[in-house]
Amino acid sequence: MTPAGPRVLDVVLAGRVPYRAALEWQRALAQERLAGRCHDLLLLLEHDPVVTMGRLAEGANLLRPDGIDVVEVERGGDVTYHGPGQLVGYPILDLTRYRQDLHWYLRTLEEALIDGLGTLGIAASREPGRTGVWTGGRKIASIGVHVKRWVTWHGFALNVTTDLAAFDRIVPCGIPGVVMTSVERERGVGSGEWSATALWDETVQAVVAGFERAFQVSAQRVEPVALPV
C-alpha cells in the first residue's frame, strides 16, 4: 500500500509517446493507484499530431483532420489537438488524499499552470465559465479530465513551442473564434535567443513547481516504469 505521510508526487518525464499508447499507460497506472500500489504521479510528455474528442465533443468542431489520427476518449470537454512542442500532463492522483471535489480539482490544475506561467513571466488567468488557462484573451492551455473512484487521469495540454496553425483543423475546445497561443509566442523567443530545448526545460521546471505549490506536494523525478512501446 502507499505509505502514509507527506504527499509525494512522482514526476515522470516520458519524452515523445504515441497518444494511444499513453492512453493505455495512464489507464493502467490509474488502476495501480486505485489499488494503492503507487504514489500519485504526474506524467509529462509530448505526442505526435493527434486530435482527441472528449465526451462532450461535437463532430462539427472537427473541421479537417488532414489525415492525422482522431481518437474518442472518456475525458471531459470537446475537441483538442496535441502535437510536438506541447507539454502534455497526465496527473494520476487519488483525490481522497486532497479533496473529493471535481470543481476544486479543475481549479487547482488551472492554478498550477497559472503559477508556472507566472514563473515564466506570462500573466495567465482563468476565463469565467470556461475550463483552461488564458493570457491576454488567448488560450494557452487546455484541460480535460476523467475521474474514477476519485482517481484522476487525462489532464492538461500547455502549448510551449507548438505549431499553432495545427489548431486550424478544429474549433479548439468547441469555442468559436478562440485564439490559441504558446509560451514561445507570449515570451517572444522565436528569434533564436533561446533554444526550443531550453524553453521546454524551463517550462517543465516551472510547471512542476506550480504543481508543488498548488497541490501542496513534494515532487520527485522517477524513471518511467512500464513505458509503452
Side-chain angles (χ1 to χ4, degrees), residues 10-206:
D10 287 349
V11 178
V12 179
L13 305 183
R16 185 81 64 88
V17 181
Y19 183 82
R20 291 179 187 271
L23 180 59
E24 293 307 313
W25 190 25
Q26 59 180 309
R27 286 170 175 166
L29 288 170
Q31 292 303 313
E32 291 294 295
R33 191 68 190 95
L34 280 164
R37 290 192 290 261
C38 66
H39 288 137
D40 289 337
L41 288 158
L42 175 61
L43 306 181
L44 294 175
L45 42 80
E46 286 180 278
H47 293 308
D48 294 320
V50 62
V51 168
T52 68
M53 310 282 286
R55 294 193 308 272
L56 302 179
E58 297 184 10
N61 292 327
L62 179 59
L63 302 178
R64 47 179 185 83
D66 294 338
I68 70 170
D69 201 11
V70 177
V71 185
E72 295 184 7
V73 292
E74 67 269 54
R75 65 163 173 80
D78 205 291
V79 59
T80 196
Y81 165 83
H82 298 307
Q86 186 185 72
L87 178 62
V88 178
Y90 295 131
I92 315 293
L93 307 181
D94 179 359
L95 293 183
T96 65
R97 303 181 71 237
Y98 300 83
R99 188 181 301 180
Q100 295 178 47
D101 183 332
L102 183 56
H103 179 80
W104 172 87
Y105 176 56
L106 290 169
R107 301 295 80 80
T108 308
L109 273 181
E110 291 167 344
E111 184 58 36
L113 295 172
I114 289 167
D115 182 302
L117 288 164
T119 300
L120 298 170
I122 297 172
S125 63
R126 299 178 179 89
E127 188 82 1
R130 290 173 171 168
T131 298
V133 178
W134 307 69
T135 180
R138 299 170 295 278
K139 192 167 191 182
I140 195 167
S142 301
I143 292 173
V145 304
H146 184 74
V147 177
K148 177 181 179 181
R149 287 164 42 201
W150 296 112
V151 168
T152 71
W153 64 99
H154 293 283
F156 69 85
L158 172 62
N159 299 321
V160 182
T161 59
T162 317
D163 176 7
L164 299 174
F167 287 97
D168 293 344
R169 295 178 167 93
I170 62 175
V171 178
C173 303
I175 305 172
V178 67
V179 176
M180 303 299 292
T181 191
S182 65
V183 173
E184 179 182 45
R185 177 163 293 184
E186 297 301 318
R187 284 270 296 261
V189 298
S191 62
E193 185 177 350
W194 291 275
S195 72
T197 299
L199 184 62
W200 180 268
D201 292 343
E202 186 182 1
T203 302
V204 168
Q205 274 192 319

